[in-house]
PDB file of all heavy atoms in Angstrom:
ATOM      1  N   LYS A 164     -16.486   8.366  21.308  1.00 95.00           N
ATOM      2  CA  LYS A 164     -16.945   7.858  20.010  1.00 95.00           C
ATOM      3  C   LYS A 164     -15.750   7.280  19.261  1.00 95.00           C
ATOM      4  O   LYS A 164     -14.956   8.006  18.664  1.00 95.00           O
ATOM      5  CB  LYS A 164     -17.612   8.979  19.208  1.00 95.00           C
ATOM      6  CG  LYS A 164     -18.869   9.522  19.883  1.00 95.00           C
ATOM      7  CD  LYS A 164     -19.497  10.639  19.070  1.00 95.00           C
ATOM      8  CE  LYS A 164     -20.760  11.156  19.756  1.00 95.00           C
ATOM      9  NZ  LYS A 164     -21.388  12.265  18.989  1.00 95.00           N
ATOM     10  N   LEU A 165     -15.625   5.972  19.314  1.00 96.00           N
ATOM     11  CA  LEU A 165     -14.424   5.305  18.817  1.00 96.00           C
ATOM     12  C   LEU A 165     -14.230   5.447  17.311  1.00 96.00           C
ATOM     13  O   LEU A 165     -13.094   5.494  16.835  1.00 96.00           O
ATOM     14  CB  LEU A 165     -14.457   3.820  19.194  1.00 96.00           C
ATOM     15  CG  LEU A 165     -14.449   3.510  20.695  1.00 96.00           C
ATOM     16  CD1 LEU A 165     -14.400   2.009  20.910  1.00 96.00           C
ATOM     17  CD2 LEU A 165     -13.277   4.194  21.392  1.00 96.00           C
ATOM     18  N   ASP A 166     -15.316   5.492  16.542  1.00 96.00           N
ATOM     19  CA  ASP A 166     -15.160   5.618  15.094  1.00 96.00           C
ATOM     20  C   ASP A 166     -14.529   6.960  14.729  1.00 96.00           C
ATOM     21  O   ASP A 166     -13.693   7.038  13.818  1.00 96.00           O
ATOM     22  CB  ASP A 166     -16.503   5.434  14.374  1.00 96.00           C
ATOM     23  CG  ASP A 166     -17.562   6.426  14.845  1.00 96.00           C
ATOM     24  OD1 ASP A 166     -17.451   6.925  15.988  1.00 96.00           O
ATOM     25  OD2 ASP A 166     -18.503   6.686  14.074  1.00 96.00           O
ATOM     26  N   LYS A 167     -14.916   7.999  15.451  1.00 96.00           N
ATOM     27  CA  LYS A 167     -14.327   9.326  15.205  1.00 96.00           C
ATOM     28  C   LYS A 167     -12.868   9.355  15.654  1.00 96.00           C
ATOM     29  O   LYS A 167     -12.007   9.950  14.986  1.00 96.00           O
ATOM     30  CB  LYS A 167     -15.113  10.412  15.960  1.00 96.00           C
ATOM     31  CG  LYS A 167     -16.607  10.417  15.703  1.00 96.00           C
ATOM     32  CD  LYS A 167     -16.931  10.602  14.237  1.00 96.00           C
ATOM     33  CE  LYS A 167     -18.421  10.829  14.010  1.00 96.00           C
ATOM     34  NZ  LYS A 167     -19.256   9.688  14.454  1.00 96.00           N
ATOM     35  N   LEU A 168     -12.580   8.707  16.774  1.00 95.00           N
ATOM     36  CA  LEU A 168     -11.213   8.646  17.274  1.00 95.00           C
ATOM     37  C   LEU A 168     -10.323   7.874  16.305  1.00 95.00           C
ATOM     38  O   LEU A 168      -9.198   8.296  16.012  1.00 95.00           O
ATOM     39  CB  LEU A 168     -11.188   7.979  18.652  1.00 95.00           C
ATOM     40  CG  LEU A 168      -9.809   7.772  19.288  1.00 95.00           C
ATOM     41  CD1 LEU A 168      -9.077   9.096  19.468  1.00 95.00           C
ATOM     42  CD2 LEU A 168      -9.958   7.056  20.631  1.00 95.00           C
ATOM     43  N   ALA A 169     -10.819   6.760  15.787  1.00 95.00           N
ATOM     44  CA  ALA A 169     -10.043   5.960  14.837  1.00 95.00           C
ATOM     45  C   ALA A 169      -9.746   6.753  13.569  1.00 95.00           C
ATOM     46  O   ALA A 169      -8.644   6.683  13.020  1.00 95.00           O
ATOM     47  CB  ALA A 169     -10.804   4.683  14.490  1.00 95.00           C
ATOM     48  N   TYR A 170     -10.727   7.519  13.116  1.00 95.00           N
ATOM     49  CA  TYR A 170     -10.550   8.363  11.927  1.00 95.00           C
ATOM     50  C   TYR A 170      -9.451   9.401  12.170  1.00 95.00           C
ATOM     51  O   TYR A 170      -8.576   9.627  11.325  1.00 95.00           O
ATOM     52  CB  TYR A 170     -11.869   9.050  11.584  1.00 95.00           C
ATOM     53  CG  TYR A 170     -11.800   9.974  10.387  1.00 95.00           C
ATOM     54  CD1 TYR A 170     -11.841   9.464   9.090  1.00 95.00           C
ATOM     55  CD2 TYR A 170     -11.695  11.355  10.556  1.00 95.00           C
ATOM     56  CE1 TYR A 170     -11.779  10.312   7.994  1.00 95.00           C
ATOM     57  CE2 TYR A 170     -11.634  12.207   9.466  1.00 95.00           C
ATOM     58  CZ  TYR A 170     -11.679  11.677   8.185  1.00 95.00           C
ATOM     59  OH  TYR A 170     -11.596  12.518   7.106  1.00 95.00           O
ATOM     60  N   ALA A 171      -9.494  10.038  13.338  1.00 94.00           N
ATOM     61  CA  ALA A 171      -8.504  11.067  13.668  1.00 94.00           C
ATOM     62  C   ALA A 171      -7.102  10.471  13.809  1.00 94.00           C
ATOM     63  O   ALA A 171      -6.117  11.030  13.305  1.00 94.00           O
ATOM     64  CB  ALA A 171      -8.903  11.778  14.961  1.00 94.00           C
ATOM     65  N   LEU A 172      -6.993   9.327  14.464  1.00 94.00           N
ATOM     66  CA  LEU A 172      -5.692   8.684  14.650  1.00 94.00           C
ATOM     67  C   LEU A 172      -5.102   8.238  13.319  1.00 94.00           C
ATOM     68  O   LEU A 172      -3.899   8.373  13.073  1.00 94.00           O
ATOM     69  CB  LEU A 172      -5.826   7.484  15.586  1.00 94.00           C
ATOM     70  CG  LEU A 172      -6.136   7.794  17.053  1.00 94.00           C
ATOM     71  CD1 LEU A 172      -6.358   6.499  17.832  1.00 94.00           C
ATOM     72  CD2 LEU A 172      -5.005   8.602  17.681  1.00 94.00           C
ATOM     73  N   SER A 173      -5.954   7.710  12.437  1.00 92.00           N
ATOM     74  CA  SER A 173      -5.491   7.276  11.122  1.00 92.00           C
ATOM     75  C   SER A 173      -4.970   8.456  10.318  1.00 92.00           C
ATOM     76  O   SER A 173      -3.926   8.374   9.661  1.00 92.00           O
ATOM     77  CB  SER A 173      -6.630   6.581  10.367  1.00 92.00           C
ATOM     78  OG  SER A 173      -6.216   6.185   9.077  1.00 92.00           O
ATOM     79  N   GLY A 174      -5.692   9.581  10.372  1.00 92.00           N
ATOM     80  CA  GLY A 174      -5.257  10.772   9.643  1.00 92.00           C
ATOM     81  C   GLY A 174      -3.961  11.336  10.185  1.00 92.00           C
ATOM     82  O   GLY A 174      -3.072  11.742   9.419  1.00 92.00           O
ATOM     83  N   LEU A 175      -3.812  11.343  11.506  1.00 93.00           N
ATOM     84  CA  LEU A 175      -2.592  11.852  12.121  1.00 93.00           C
ATOM     85  C   LEU A 175      -1.401  10.950  11.797  1.00 93.00           C
ATOM     86  O   LEU A 175      -0.301  11.433  11.505  1.00 93.00           O
ATOM     87  CB  LEU A 175      -2.777  11.953  13.638  1.00 93.00           C
ATOM     88  CG  LEU A 175      -1.601  12.505  14.447  1.00 93.00           C
ATOM     89  CD1 LEU A 175      -1.186  13.881  13.934  1.00 93.00           C
ATOM     90  CD2 LEU A 175      -1.977  12.579  15.924  1.00 93.00           C
ATOM     91  N   ALA A 176      -1.630   9.645  11.833  1.00 91.00           N
ATOM     92  CA  ALA A 176      -0.559   8.700  11.513  1.00 91.00           C
ATOM     93  C   ALA A 176      -0.103   8.860  10.064  1.00 91.00           C
ATOM     94  O   ALA A 176       1.094   8.840   9.762  1.00 91.00           O
ATOM     95  CB  ALA A 176      -1.033   7.261  11.759  1.00 91.00           C
ATOM     96  N   PHE A 177      -1.072   9.047   9.166  1.00 89.00           N
ATOM     97  CA  PHE A 177      -0.717   9.252   7.760  1.00 89.00           C
ATOM     98  C   PHE A 177       0.065  10.547   7.583  1.00 89.00           C
ATOM     99  O   PHE A 177       1.038  10.609   6.828  1.00 89.00           O
ATOM    100  CB  PHE A 177      -1.976   9.289   6.895  1.00 89.00           C
ATOM    101  CG  PHE A 177      -1.689   9.579   5.445  1.00 89.00           C
ATOM    102  CD1 PHE A 177      -1.269   8.567   4.599  1.00 89.00           C
ATOM    103  CD2 PHE A 177      -1.803  10.865   4.937  1.00 89.00           C
ATOM    104  CE1 PHE A 177      -0.979   8.836   3.270  1.00 89.00           C
ATOM    105  CE2 PHE A 177      -1.515  11.139   3.615  1.00 89.00           C
ATOM    106  CZ  PHE A 177      -1.099  10.116   2.779  1.00 89.00           C
ATOM    107  N   SER A 178      -0.364  11.595   8.287  1.00 90.00           N
ATOM    108  CA  SER A 178       0.318  12.881   8.176  1.00 90.00           C
ATOM    109  C   SER A 178       1.773  12.777   8.621  1.00 90.00           C
ATOM    110  O   SER A 178       2.682  13.283   7.958  1.00 90.00           O
ATOM    111  CB  SER A 178      -0.412  13.928   9.013  1.00 90.00           C
ATOM    112  OG  SER A 178       0.238  15.176   8.941  1.00 90.00           O
ATOM    113  N   MET A 179       2.003  12.102   9.745  1.00 91.00           N
ATOM    114  CA  MET A 179       3.373  11.954  10.221  1.00 91.00           C
ATOM    115  C   MET A 179       4.195  11.068   9.294  1.00 91.00           C
ATOM    116  O   MET A 179       5.379  11.318   9.060  1.00 91.00           O
ATOM    117  CB  MET A 179       3.383  11.380  11.644  1.00 91.00           C
ATOM    118  CG  MET A 179       2.998  12.384  12.708  1.00 91.00           C
ATOM    119  SD  MET A 179       3.390  11.825  14.390  1.00 91.00           S
ATOM    120  CE  MET A 179       2.205  10.492  14.586  1.00 91.00           C
ATOM    121  N   GLY A 180       3.566  10.030   8.762  1.00 87.00           N
ATOM    122  CA  GLY A 180       4.294   9.120   7.893  1.00 87.00           C
ATOM    123  C   GLY A 180       4.575   9.688   6.522  1.00 87.00           C
ATOM    124  O   GLY A 180       5.696   9.607   6.015  1.00 87.00           O
ATOM    125  N   PHE A 181       3.554  10.293   5.904  1.00 88.00           N
ATOM    126  CA  PHE A 181       3.721  10.797   4.538  1.00 88.00           C
ATOM    127  C   PHE A 181       4.373  12.179   4.511  1.00 88.00           C
ATOM    128  O   PHE A 181       5.435  12.369   3.937  1.00 88.00           O
ATOM    129  CB  PHE A 181       2.373  10.841   3.821  1.00 88.00           C
ATOM    130  CG  PHE A 181       2.482  11.254   2.384  1.00 88.00           C
ATOM    131  CD1 PHE A 181       2.960  10.380   1.426  1.00 88.00           C
ATOM    132  CD2 PHE A 181       2.125  12.537   1.984  1.00 88.00           C
ATOM    133  CE1 PHE A 181       3.083  10.764   0.088  1.00 88.00           C
ATOM    134  CE2 PHE A 181       2.241  12.932   0.655  1.00 88.00           C
ATOM    135  CZ  PHE A 181       2.720  12.045  -0.280  1.00 88.00           C
ATOM    136  N   PHE A 182       3.731  13.136   5.154  1.00 89.00           N
ATOM    137  CA  PHE A 182       4.278  14.499   5.130  1.00 89.00           C
ATOM    138  C   PHE A 182       5.521  14.618   6.001  1.00 89.00           C
ATOM    139  O   PHE A 182       6.508  15.262   5.618  1.00 89.00           O
ATOM    140  CB  PHE A 182       3.214  15.509   5.565  1.00 89.00           C
ATOM    141  CG  PHE A 182       2.104  15.671   4.572  1.00 89.00           C
ATOM    142  CD1 PHE A 182       0.875  15.064   4.783  1.00 89.00           C
ATOM    143  CD2 PHE A 182       2.302  16.403   3.409  1.00 89.00           C
ATOM    144  CE1 PHE A 182      -0.146  15.192   3.847  1.00 89.00           C
ATOM    145  CE2 PHE A 182       1.288  16.540   2.477  1.00 89.00           C
ATOM    146  CZ  PHE A 182       0.062  15.932   2.699  1.00 89.00           C
ATOM    147  N   GLY A 183       5.478  14.018   7.186  1.00 89.00           N
ATOM    148  CA  GLY A 183       6.622  14.119   8.080  1.00 89.00           C
ATOM    149  C   GLY A 183       7.868  13.444   7.532  1.00 89.00           C
ATOM    150  O   GLY A 183       8.924  14.066   7.402  1.00 89.00           O
ATOM    151  N   ARG A 184       7.727  12.171   7.174  1.00 86.00           N
ATOM    152  CA  ARG A 184       8.901  11.412   6.747  1.00 86.00           C
ATOM    153  C   ARG A 184       9.248  11.612   5.275  1.00 86.00           C
ATOM    154  O   ARG A 184      10.417  11.786   4.930  1.00 86.00           O
ATOM    155  CB  ARG A 184       8.673   9.924   7.025  1.00 86.00           C
ATOM    156  CG  ARG A 184       8.997   9.521   8.461  1.00 86.00           C
ATOM    157  CD  ARG A 184       8.891   8.029   8.630  1.00 86.00           C
ATOM    158  NE  ARG A 184       9.513   7.591   9.867  1.00 86.00           N
ATOM    159  CZ  ARG A 184       8.992   6.683  10.678  1.00 86.00           C
ATOM    160  NH1 ARG A 184       7.837   6.131  10.395  1.00 86.00           N
ATOM    161  NH2 ARG A 184       9.622   6.323  11.771  1.00 86.00           N
ATOM    162  N   LEU A 185       8.250  11.575   4.395  1.00 84.00           N
ATOM    163  CA  LEU A 185       8.537  11.574   2.961  1.00 84.00           C
ATOM    164  C   LEU A 185       8.593  12.961   2.331  1.00 84.00           C
ATOM    165  O   LEU A 185       9.364  13.175   1.399  1.00 84.00           O
ATOM    166  CB  LEU A 185       7.486  10.726   2.220  1.00 84.00           C
ATOM    167  CG  LEU A 185       7.347   9.277   2.684  1.00 84.00           C
ATOM    168  CD1 LEU A 185       6.418   8.520   1.756  1.00 84.00           C
ATOM    169  CD2 LEU A 185       8.698   8.584   2.767  1.00 84.00           C
ATOM    170  N   VAL A 186       7.775  13.871   2.805  1.00 87.00           N
ATOM    171  CA  VAL A 186       7.733  15.204   2.203  1.00 87.00           C
ATOM    172  C   VAL A 186       8.665  16.183   2.936  1.00 87.00           C
ATOM    173  O   VAL A 186       9.534  16.809   2.332  1.00 87.00           O
ATOM    174  CB  VAL A 186       6.290  15.759   2.188  1.00 87.00           C
ATOM    175  CG1 VAL A 186       6.276  17.161   1.572  1.00 87.00           C
ATOM    176  CG2 VAL A 186       5.373  14.825   1.393  1.00 87.00           C
ATOM    177  N   HIS A 187       8.480  16.281   4.240  1.00 90.00           N
ATOM    178  CA  HIS A 187       9.287  17.233   5.017  1.00 90.00           C
ATOM    179  C   HIS A 187      10.648  16.679   5.432  1.00 90.00           C
ATOM    180  O   HIS A 187      11.518  17.441   5.833  1.00 90.00           O
ATOM    181  CB  HIS A 187       8.520  17.660   6.271  1.00 90.00           C
ATOM    182  CG  HIS A 187       7.198  18.285   5.982  1.00 90.00           C
ATOM    183  ND1 HIS A 187       6.113  18.196   6.834  1.00 90.00           N
ATOM    184  CD2 HIS A 187       6.767  19.008   4.909  1.00 90.00           C
ATOM    185  CE1 HIS A 187       5.076  18.835   6.321  1.00 90.00           C
ATOM    186  NE2 HIS A 187       5.447  19.331   5.146  1.00 90.00           N
ATOM    187  N   ARG A 188      10.806  15.363   5.341  1.00 91.00           N
ATOM    188  CA  ARG A 188      12.058  14.706   5.752  1.00 91.00           C
ATOM    189  C   ARG A 188      12.405  15.052   7.200  1.00 91.00           C
ATOM    190  O   ARG A 188      13.542  15.373   7.538  1.00 91.00           O
ATOM    191  CB  ARG A 188      13.213  15.090   4.820  1.00 91.00           C
ATOM    192  CG  ARG A 188      12.985  14.723   3.358  1.00 91.00           C
ATOM    193  CD  ARG A 188      12.908  13.228   3.179  1.00 91.00           C
ATOM    194  NE  ARG A 188      12.620  12.862   1.790  1.00 91.00           N
ATOM    195  CZ  ARG A 188      12.484  11.605   1.351  1.00 91.00           C
ATOM    196  NH1 ARG A 188      12.609  10.608   2.200  1.00 91.00           N
ATOM    197  NH2 ARG A 188      12.218  11.364   0.097  1.00 91.00           N
TER     198      ARG A 188
END
Side-chain angles (χ1 to χ4, degrees):
K164 297 179 179 179
L165 297 183
D166 57 336
K167 307 302 189 299
L168 177 59
Y170 179 80
L172 291 175
S173 178
L175 181 56
F177 177 81
S178 179
M179 285 194 291
F181 184 75
F182 291 102
R184 276 186 165 138
L185 303 187
V186 179
H187 302 150
R188 301 295 177 181

